[in-house]
Amino acid sequence: MQDKENYRIIVGLGSCGIASGGRKVYQKIKEEIKKRNIKVLLEETGCVGMCYNEVLIEVVINGSRILYKDINPDKVDRILDEHIGKGNVVNEWVAKAEGIATLDDSFFAKQERIALRNCGVISPESIEEYIDRDGYKAIEKAVSMSREEVVKEILNSGLRGRGGAGFPTGMKWRFAKEAKGEKKYFICNADEGDPGAFMDRSVIEGDPHSVIEGMLIGAYAIGADEGYIYVRAEYPLAVKRLYKAISQAEERNYLGENILGSNFSFKLHVKEGAGAFVCGEETALIASIEGKRGMPRIRPPFPAISGLWEKPTNINNVETLANIPWIINNGAEKYSKYGTEKSKGTKVFALAGKIKRGGLVEVPMGLTLREIIFDIGGGIKENRKFKAVQMGGPSGGCIPESLIDTTVDYDSITATGAIMGSGGMVVMDETTCMVDIARFFLNFTQNESCGKCTFCRVGTRRMLEILNRIVEGKGKEEDIYLLEELSSRIITTSLCGLGQTAPNPVLTTLRYFRNEYEAHIKEKKCPAHSCEALLRFEVIPELCKMCGKCAKACPENAIKWEKKQVAMIDKDKCIKCRACITSCKFMAIE
Amino acid sequence: MVGCNCETKLKGILDEYRGKSGSLIPVLQKTQDLYGYIPKEAMEEIAQGLGMLTSEVYGVVTFYTQFRLTPVGKNIIKACHGTACHVGGAKAISEAMEKALGIKNGETTKDKKFTLEEVACLGCCSLAPVVMINEDTYANLSESNVASIFENY
Ligand SMILES: Cc1cc2nc3c(=O)[nH]c(=O)nc-3n(C[C@H](O)[C@H](O)[C@H](O)COP(=O)(O)O)c2cc1C
Ligand code: FES
């Protein structure tokens, strides 16, 4: 038997890895290791960010790391035979390795990983591995500093809240620290409601201890002795890993009484959300922890003065907190070297939609959208044309191609009409209808409005009705005006961010894609060939390249096509399944 | 539910949380784990146990989408209709599932095996369109292969 003490295989088992079949790969490797009777440590890790390449496994031999992509159980034998057995790397499957150039290198080239420093590197269920990478060193350092020094350090770093609003974290901590009261709370907002974003899930699944340590440092700074992590119920794996991490931290006295021998104590609870987007708003979140309906309330008083059970409370987002230990360990100055004048540091983005390399990336603030979408994200799937990128979810907007060189920082993104938001970037191509996207978001906010403010409750519903009418080809000339009018009313009369920003998806699409609205209303056409009611299932002769793809795609043989001839759809046979529209690369079927 | 001993268990849950502040939502979550939904009698029991009005309990139950007032099938299928899945064709996936199971969104199959629900984002957006059955996530689905995921249940 060979001695393979220093041989490790690490399987990516974040939600994305598991969804791609990671558990089967893990199982297969486990069986093979046993069958072959070899000494190889089998471990698991969270998401490295390359979701598009899942299942990813990493082979580590004496510290040299080779990351393999697109692995399935059938590929396991070859890796064990050649790489583990003979020491020969299977070059064609390598995604990332030192000294081997791969197509995927450009995915990492512009990234700087601070919040994600451990994601996909350590085993999220091992506190030892976290500690080996400077874990819990920052809280040790923090308790040796004065509370004011900790607040100053965070203030100087320039870190702004990553949950959406971008409020300076150090300033928030100062308010909570200076608030009067014996009892204070520190809350982590892991509600991640933006549909299309998954940064916080990946951080918790991949590196739960960094969030706990961030909370500890914050709690110490403001003088809180109790805290909550409010996490979405839709994230079962994240919840499980949090519980595990908390119990490990308790065992080692990083949580509990007199932490590290200091007089600082902190008790941490997990609260599972119950499925309400508005509970991501801080005052609604507090009401939800208290066991009530999650309705926002008027601020002031801000939670820093009167929050959970009317005690001073600080709330921060998961990603914000994951940065904190790094800042304490490495210093504010080093952190603030990344980013731009007013947006310091790095930001995590979740790339999804019609992008080739969907996944999780962390970049210094100030890159352009083009760099993120094309250089890192590899551009658009199937080489279609980029149309827009949605940022900020239901509170944000669609940024069009003409603004693709916008730099990504809080102010520049806000200037486009979208918002930085929590970091979701959903990329859209020419086949995505912008009116339908606006309708999608209004449907969402209309559903999620808690009902407290009239304009948010009823106004979003009216807007949705109008948008439904437009996509169904029943839009009227005055509808655009009505949408604008309702938008401005909802913005000015809503109490919380949900209502105040709900019209943004409509306003940005009206600003940049007004012609699409007009085409729906006046010509009863959907330029993206997406809105069902407006499809005619006819070939546009001027656009048809006579390639015959549509004829092959049609399950009913309803398309007549011969070489060098424009395709023809037989309307009697057509079942309107859209297979032809999807297959056409030239947008020639409407 | 036969053999569940639900009522005794519910009493146990209430004993565990009695007197703790903010316990209504966790109690409801555990109650739902027990019954699969929140029966009316359980709401009354909870109200009494926690010293609240039944209407307050009902108000919370209906506010949060997680809580159900009707029984569900053995397996819960959550079809993601978040932004990325919407852009990636979630509608077609849902239609294919509805066809395969013979039920609509929100309904349960006759044999009580599956309940179909639409949700907003399962956090796996880079692999859209996504469907979750119980706690297993299925990604990169297409209209033609989505029905095959039911075979595992
Ligand atoms: C409707 C609405 C939903 C929100 N959802 C979230 C969320 O899911 N996660 C989050 O961290 N912040 C969310 N926020 C922002 C929070 O209210 C709060 O600003 C944030 O948690 C503060 O943390 P930060 O300063 O670290 O960003 C939401 C705000 C609104 C108005
Ligand atoms: S949008 Fe479907 S998983 Fe996020």
Side-chain angles (χ1 to χ4, degrees), chain A residues 195-197, chain B residues 80-85 121-125 128 130:
Chain B
C80 180
H81 282 250
T83 318
C85 290
C121 194
L122 296 166
C124 222
C125 326
V130 177

Side-chain angles (χ1 to χ4, degrees), chain A residues 234-299:
Chain A
E234 284 88 345
Y235 290 176
L237 184 63
V239 171
K240 183 184 136 218
R241 289 197 173 147
L242 269 180
Y243 276 117
K244 181 143 190 188
I246 288 174
S247 80
Q248 290 170 338
E250 281 169 348
E251 270 165 31
R252 300 197 175 216
N253 190 227
Y254 292 121
L255 282 171
E257 302 291 321
N258 301 100
I259 291 163
L260 296 163
S262 70
N263 55 11
F264 166 58
S265 302
F266 190 62
K267 171 110 191 98
L268 184 55
H269 314 269
V270 174
K271 275 273 173 182
E272 288 179 53
F277 170 67
V278 73
C279 286
E281 195 279 337
E282 53 189 25
T283 60
L285 187 150
I286 288 170
S288 184
I289 294 182
E290 291 172 351
K292 303 184 202 141
R293 290 163 70 96
M295 307 259 240
R297 62 158 176 79
I298 291 178
R299 298 174 303 179

Side-chain angles (χ1 to χ4, degrees), chain A residues 82-347:
Chain A
E82 294 184 19
H83 194 164
I84 299 283
K86 303 192 194 117
N88 299 330
V89 175
V90 185
N91 277 311
E92 66 220 72
W93 297 341
V94 173
K96 188 182 175 223
E98 214 152 289
I100 303 176
T102 75
L103 287 174
D104 293 294
D105 286 342
S106 53
F107 181 77
F108 289 105
K110 291 188 174 169
Q111 294 199 48
E112 291 291 344
R113 293 165 86 91
I114 293 177
L116 301 179
R117 62 196 175 280
N118 292 325
C119 284
V121 181
I122 64 168
S123 163
E125 301 198 4
S126 158
I127 191 171
E128 289 84 8
E129 289 191 27
Y130 180 69
I131 290 171
D132 278 348
R133 290 179 51 99
D134 292 338
Y136 291 111
K137 284 236 174 69
I139 181 61
E140 207 175 320
K141 186 169 170 190
V143 293
S144 73
M145 294 158 72
S146 76
R147 291 163 49 194
E148 181 55 29
E149 280 166 348
V150 175
V151 171
K152 271 216 179 104
E153 194 70 17
I154 299 305
L155 203 56
N156 291 342
S157 74
L159 175 67
R160 293 168 65 170
R162 302 298 192 229
F167 192 82
T169 306
M171 229 185 301
K172 214 183 217 179
W173 287 14
R174 164 141 312 143
F175 293 142
K177 173 176 171 282
E178 283 166 8
K180 290 202 174 54
E182 281 289 297
K183 178 85 189 172
K184 293 180 187 176
Y185 291 98
F186 198 101
I187 297 175
C188 167
N189 187 343
D191 199 36
E192 192 154 69
D194 172 2
F198 53 93
M199 303 75 49
D200 297 349
R201 170 184 68 70
S202 300
V203 171
I204 294 178
E205 282 180 6
D207 190 17
H209 287 287
S210 71
V211 181
I212 296 174
E213 190 177 6
M215 289 186 79
L216 278 165
I217 295 163
Y220 171 76
I222 70 161
D225 67 352
E226 197 169 357
Y228 287 87
I229 303 181
Y230 188 92
V231 55
R232 278 187 89 195
E234 284 88 345
Y235 290 176
L237 184 63
V239 171
K240 183 184 136 218
R241 289 197 173 147
L242 269 180
Y243 276 117
K244 181 143 190 188
I246 288 174
S247 80
Q248 290 170 338
E250 281 169 348
E251 270 165 31
R252 300 197 175 216
N253 190 227
Y254 292 121
L255 282 171
E257 302 291 321
N258 301 100
I259 291 163
L260 296 163
S262 70
N263 55 11
F264 166 58
S265 302
F266 190 62
K267 171 110 191 98
L268 184 55
H269 314 269
V270 174
K271 275 273 173 182
E272 288 179 53
F277 170 67
V278 73
C279 286
E281 195 279 337
E282 53 189 25
T283 60
L285 187 150
I286 288 170
S288 184
I289 294 182
E290 291 172 351
K292 303 184 202 141
R293 290 163 70 96
M295 307 259 240
R297 62 158 176 79
I298 291 178
R299 298 174 303 179
F302 283 91
I305 307 298
S306 173
L308 186 59
W309 288 299
E310 284 155 27
K311 302 283 187 271
T313 301
N314 184 83
I315 302 191
N316 279 123
N317 160 269
V318 171
E319 186 189 331
T320 313
L321 291 167
N323 281 299
I324 301 284
W326 192 96
I327 295 172
I328 296 294
N329 278 333
N330 296 278
E333 201 185 329
K334 189 159 173 200
Y335 186 81
S336 62
K337 285 218 171 88
Y338 294 105
T340 66
E341 169 80 36
K342 284 187 186 157
S343 304
K344 299 288 183 208
T346 56
K347 175 80 194 85

Side-chain angles (χ1 to χ4, degrees), chain A residues 15-16 19-20 51 195-198 201 232-236 271-276 278-279 288-295 309 351-352 354 358-359 426 428 436-437 439-441 444 450 532, chain B residues 21-26 29 52 56 58-60 62-67 78 81-84 86-88 91 95 119-128 132 134-140 143:
Chain A
S15 282
C16 44
S20 307
C51 306
F198 53 93
R201 170 184 68 70
R232 278 187 89 195
E234 284 88 345
Y235 290 176
K271 275 273 173 182
E272 288 179 53
V278 73
C279 286
S288 184
I289 294 182
E290 291 172 351
K292 303 184 202 141
R293 290 163 70 96
M295 307 259 240
W309 288 299
L351 305 181
K354 304 280 173 99
V426 182
M428 297 162 187
D436 177 65
I437 289 298
R439 190 199 59 81
F440 166 82
F441 280 115
F444 180 86
C450 77
E532 218 153 297
Chain B
S21 36
S23 52
L24 178 57
I25 293 172
Q29 283 166 332
M52 326 173 59
E56 286 176 78
Y58 183 77
V60 169
T62 51
F63 183 84
Y64 294 98
T65 47
Q66 186 186 25
F67 300 124
K78 293 183 178 153
H81 282 250
T83 318
H86 178 77
V87 170
K91 191 157 171 261
E95 282 167 5
V119 298
C121 194
L122 296 166
C124 222
C125 326
S126 49
L127 303 174
M132 197 157 153
N134 306 327
E135 296 199 348
D136 300 324
T137 312
Y138 297 89
N140 283 327
E143 278 166 85

Side-chain angles (χ1 to χ4, degrees), chain B residues 108-123:
Chain B
T108 301
T109 50
K110 274 215 186 79
D111 60 3
K112 301 269 187 292
K113 205 164 162 193
F114 294 108
T115 297
L116 194 56
E117 282 179 357
E118 285 181 6
V119 298
C121 194
L122 296 166

